[in-house]
């Protein structure tokens, strides 16, 4: 595994004419990231993982400061996973100007996380734009846990870059909680609460699949979740293909964002 910290070294070490798979991360690696890496290794000749905690996608300074970071542990994990390259740039390698840090999104995309995390997706698209200018990978592997993010990235890069997005399934622990770097911030007692949320959403999905009229029970589900002291930011049902409210039995997806002890978690089923 070659560790790269500058764009100059990246250009010297990596042959982007080859079939390169790219996994962008903010570190604090977990089984979800490892599943993306495995998908890349199966599909591509070489795999490149980036670790960059992007400041422009945090809408709260404190959230950025608290975000879990452990580079030495991440490098050990990546060595064990036998990836080819890890790119760990500094902020000034990625963003030369402030203007590059954000890319505008349309008002119709300012829903769910786009509504509640003001500037978040603008920052995500800003960093993806900068990374794909220098990492000319054939495929980029992204997880469905961040479903809205994947949708917006795919839409943004479609006619701009030749890199194709490969969407990978959400990886969950045995209690149905999706793996997330933010899980490292949870207290032990909070894991059970978070798992309960995921299981309630999962059960609700099956109820709706069984009988679409059960969709009207959304308010009841919300009440049940908040009873356990969880602060729901949003709980919505959207069309999984275009995020409109035009939903039916085949195209619906349930999205939730909530806080447990000031840690923000998201999930979708």
């Amino acid at each position: 595994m070659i560790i790269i910290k500058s764009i100059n070294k990246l250009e010297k070490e990596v042959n982007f004419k080859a079939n390169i798979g790219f996994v962008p991360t903010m570190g604090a690696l977990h089984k979800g990231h490892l599943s993306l890496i495995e998908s890349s290794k199966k599909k591509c000749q070489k795999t490149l993982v980036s670790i960059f905690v992007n400041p422009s996608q945090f809408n709260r300074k404190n959230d950025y400061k608290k975000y879990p970071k452990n580079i030495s542990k991440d490098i050990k994990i990546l060595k064990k996973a036998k990836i080819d390259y890890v790119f760990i740039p500094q902020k000034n390698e990625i963003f030369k100007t402030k203007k590059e840090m954000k890319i505008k999104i349309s008002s119709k995309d300012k829903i769910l996380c786009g509504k509640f995390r003001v500037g978040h997706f603008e920052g995500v698209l800003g960093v993806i734009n900068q990374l794909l200018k220098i990492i000319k990978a054939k495929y980029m592997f992204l997880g469905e846990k961040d479903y809205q993010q994947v949708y917006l990235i795919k839409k943004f890069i479609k006619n701009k870059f030749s890199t194709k997005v490969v969407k990978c399934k959400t990886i969950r622990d045995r209690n149905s909680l999706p793996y997330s770097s933010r899980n490292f911030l949870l207290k032990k007692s909070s894991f059970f609460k978070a798992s309960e949320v995921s299981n309630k959403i999962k059960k609700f999905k099956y109820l709706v699949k069984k009988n679409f009229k059960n969709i009207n029970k959304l308010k009841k589900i919300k009440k049940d979740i908040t009873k356990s002291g969880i602060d729901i930011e949003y709980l919505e049902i959207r069309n999984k293909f275009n995020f409109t409210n035009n939903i039916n039995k085949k195209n619906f997806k349930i999205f939730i964002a909530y806080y447990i002890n000031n840690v923000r978690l998201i999930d979708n089923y």
Side-chain angles (χ1 to χ4, degrees):
M1 183 179 87
I2 300 170
I3 297 169
I4 301 166
K5 292 186 179 179
S6 71
I7 292 170
N8 282 345
K9 191 175 178 185
L10 185 79
E11 288 167 349
K12 282 175 192 168
E13 295 286 355
V14 186
N15 172 21
F16 286 112
K17 286 176 184 173
N19 178 5
I20 303 284
F22 173 41
V23 181
T25 83
M26 293 207 300
L29 303 179
H30 50 70
K31 286 183 182 178
H33 293 118
L34 290 173
S35 76
L36 300 178
I37 289 164
E38 284 311 307
S39 298
S40 175
K41 284 170 73 180
K42 281 175 191 169
K43 197 173 178 72
C44 305
Q45 291 166 301
K46 302 272 184 183
T47 292
L48 187 155
V49 174
S50 69
I51 297 174
F52 179 64
V53 183
N54 173 31
S56 70
Q57 70 188 67
F58 288 85
N59 55 326
R60 294 184 302 163
K61 275 185 182 178
N62 199 37
D63 193 22
Y64 173 61
K65 282 178 187 173
K66 274 184 7 186
Y67 197 83
K69 300 169 191 78
N70 194 334
I71 286 286
S72 56
K73 190 182 175 188
D74 289 341
I75 287 169
K76 280 178 191 171
I77 289 167
L78 294 174
K79 274 182 181 169
K80 202 176 176 185
K82 295 179 179 173
I83 67 142
D84 303 282
Y85 313 102
V86 56
F87 181 44
I88 313 170
Q90 292 297 311
K91 183 187 163 186
N92 61 0
E93 280 283 321
I94 301 300
F95 299 118
K96 301 284 185 254
T97 66
K98 209 172 181 182
K99 199 181 172 185
E100 293 172 337
M101 294 177 81
K102 300 264 185 183
I103 283 169
K104 284 182 182 177
I105 63 170
S106 71
S107 56
K108 67 175 183 177
D109 290 325
K110 290 177 182 179
I111 56 168
L112 306 176
C113 286
K115 178 183 175 182
F116 288 94
R117 293 189 75 189
V118 178
H120 168 67
F121 287 129
E122 289 87 341
V124 169
L125 297 183
V127 76
I128 289 294
N129 186 50
Q130 294 305 106
L131 287 170
L132 290 186
K133 280 180 189 174
I134 51 177
I135 298 168
K136 298 167 182 75
K138 193 168 183 181
Y139 299 102
M140 177 166 59
F141 296 81
L142 302 171
E144 282 193 339
K145 182 187 77 71
D146 299 296
Y147 198 91
Q148 187 181 10
Q149 178 171 290
V150 178
Y151 169 78
L152 291 173
I153 290 172
K154 273 184 90 171
K155 193 167 76 164
F156 171 69
I157 72 168
K158 195 178 177 184
N159 301 312
K160 197 172 168 66
F161 297 101
S162 58
T163 302
K164 289 182 175 66
V165 169
V166 179
K167 198 162 60 171
C168 303
K169 282 185 177 177
T170 303
I171 304 299
R172 299 175 181 273
D173 67 17
R174 57 188 181 157
N175 298 313
S176 299
L177 184 67
Y179 284 99
S180 166
S181 298
R182 289 180 188 274
N183 291 2
F184 292 117
L185 301 172
L186 291 175
K187 293 173 183 172
K188 275 187 183 178
S189 58
S190 299
F191 272 92
F192 177 70
K193 275 189 178 183
S195 299
E196 272 193 328
V197 173
S198 291
N199 281 308
K200 276 178 178 148
I201 301 298
K202 185 182 179 182
K203 281 173 191 169
F204 180 50
K205 182 195 174 180
Y206 288 124
L207 276 175
V208 177
K209 280 263 185 196
K210 219 174 178 182
N211 182 351
F212 197 64
K213 283 180 183 176
N214 284 323
I215 209 157
N216 298 319
K217 293 180 180 176
L218 185 68
K219 280 184 181 175
K220 187 188 178 297
I221 301 296
K222 194 171 183 176
K223 229 178 197 179
D224 285 351
I225 292 170
T226 50
K227 264 182 201 171
S228 56
I230 284 163
D231 180 18
I232 294 177
E233 191 172 74
Y234 64 76
L235 174 57
E236 292 186 36
I237 300 169
R238 295 257 173 187
N239 183 309
K240 66 181 175 184
F241 300 114
N242 57 22
F243 281 84
T244 64
N245 292 313
N246 179 16
I247 49 175
N248 59 45
K249 210 172 184 176
K250 289 182 179 176
N251 70 19
F252 81 94
K253 198 173 244 304
I254 306 158
F255 296 91
I256 188 167
Y258 61 97
Y259 285 88
I260 295 183
N261 296 332
N262 293 319
V263 178
R264 186 180 186 274
L265 300 175
I266 60 170
D267 201 356
N268 63 78
Y269 263 105

